[in-house]
Amino acid sequence: MKSIGFKNFRRFDNFPSLDLGEITLMVGGNNSGKSTLVKSILLTLDYLRTQQGDKMYFDKNTLNDVNIVTFGRARCNYTDSKEIIFDCTLGKFEITIITKGEDDDTFANVMSLVIKDMVSKINLEINFQTFTMSFEMDSTSGDELSQYDDIDIQELITKAIDLLQEQLENAENWNEKLKIQAEINMQESKLKRSLGYKKTNNNQYSI
């Protein structure tokens, strides 16, 4: 991880992105935020590595050292916002995770996951509320998409299907199951047709 930043997490309403090195030393008095910084790194990496999809869990056994347990304990008490936002940099990717939840929940609902490729200047956003995935290309990169082929498209759609399948397994009622299954059917249809990128407006594309 090259950098970490967050909003409305623990005692900070806005913690600006902090660059990290191979070895980073943190020095400060009690309650200055050292443990909060470590907790944010552990939570973010755990979410990304375990591909939790639309949930970020605070009470997992693998995160005993984090000891946050509930969304209410994670959320900053100095603001009224129900959102906690994490920003980090991994390799060439800038990642933003937007979460929202209720104080007594032992998890946060991930509203959206935004991944920016700083080399190709392409932003990918997964919206877990609407079950959609879209991306946009920086205008400086031009409008040509010749660097992408059908395999790239298929990989994106396959990942979307995998996320939906996981949500289907965890769905608690039939209405939710039917909605997710309908989205899976639509994505599978797109995969079979091997659709290319479709431009909508302002350099935005969707699949």
Side-chain angles (χ1 to χ4, degrees):
M1 181 178 287
K2 293 183 177 179
S3 70
I4 185 69
F6 43 84
K7 294 180 179 178
N8 297 326
F9 182 59
R10 303 291 281 178
R11 64 188 301 270
F12 295 96
D13 60 346
N14 186 13
F15 188 94
S17 182
L18 176 69
D19 292 336
L20 304 173
E22 293 185 7
I23 298 177
T24 301
L25 300 179
M26 292 181 289
V27 179
N30 292 336
N31 297 318
S32 61
K34 300 187 300 297
S35 61
T36 295
L37 182 62
V38 173
K39 293 174 193 291
S40 69
I41 294 173
L42 291 175
L43 277 172
T44 303
L45 288 178
D46 180 72
Y47 170 78
L48 295 172
R49 285 173 176 169
T50 57
Q51 300 181 15
Q52 296 170 27
D54 65 343
K55 295 286 190 296
M56 175 182 283
Y57 293 95
F58 301 132
D59 63 342
K60 295 176 61 178
N61 291 333
T62 54
L63 291 174
N64 283 334
D65 291 338
V66 174
N67 193 28
I68 296 177
V69 184
T70 65
F71 184 84
R73 292 182 62 179
R75 185 175 63 85
C76 178
N77 293 325
Y78 304 129
T79 70
D80 295 328
S81 175
K82 288 289 187 179
E83 287 188 346
I84 299 176
I85 302 174
F86 297 95
D87 294 295
C88 69
T89 304
L90 292 173
K92 66 175 183 176
F93 300 104
E94 289 183 350
I95 301 170
T96 299
I97 307 168
I98 302 175
T99 71
K100 194 173 183 179
E102 299 298 330
D103 287 349
D104 293 334
D105 289 343
T106 57
F107 60 88
N109 293 303
V110 178
M111 312 300 287
S112 67
L113 173 65
V114 181
I115 303 173
K116 179 179 180 181
D117 187 326
M118 294 182 289
V119 176
S120 61
K121 304 298 182 182
I122 289 179
N123 298 345
L124 170 68
E125 178 176 1
I126 302 174
N127 188 317
F128 292 101
Q129 303 307 299
T130 59
F131 304 109
T132 59
M133 183 189 308
S134 63
F135 77 93
E136 65 177 3
M137 176 179 288
D138 191 302
S139 59
T140 59
S141 300
D143 292 332
E144 296 297 327
L145 294 173
S146 57
Q147 57 182 306
Y148 297 96
D149 54 27
D150 288 341
I151 296 178
D152 295 315
I153 300 294
Q154 292 169 2
E155 288 178 350
L156 285 174
I157 298 176
T158 299
K159 288 180 180 179
I161 292 174
D162 290 342
L163 287 171
L164 289 167
Q165 290 285 6
E166 181 179 344
Q167 293 170 6
L168 182 62
E169 293 176 2
N170 297 324
E172 297 180 353
N173 59 70
W174 280 107
N175 287 335
E176 185 178 1
K177 287 179 181 291
L178 289 173
K179 180 179 179 181
I180 297 174
Q181 186 60 60
E183 180 66 21
I184 291 175
N185 293 342
M186 184 175 69
Q187 295 292 348
E188 288 178 341
S189 178
K190 289 181 179 181
L191 184 59
K192 290 178 181 178
R193 295 196 303 268
S194 296
L195 288 179
Y197 289 102
K198 181 179 179 181
K199 185 170 182 178
T200 55
N201 53 59
N202 296 326
N203 288 330
Q204 292 188 353
Y205 301 77
S206 62
I207 60 173

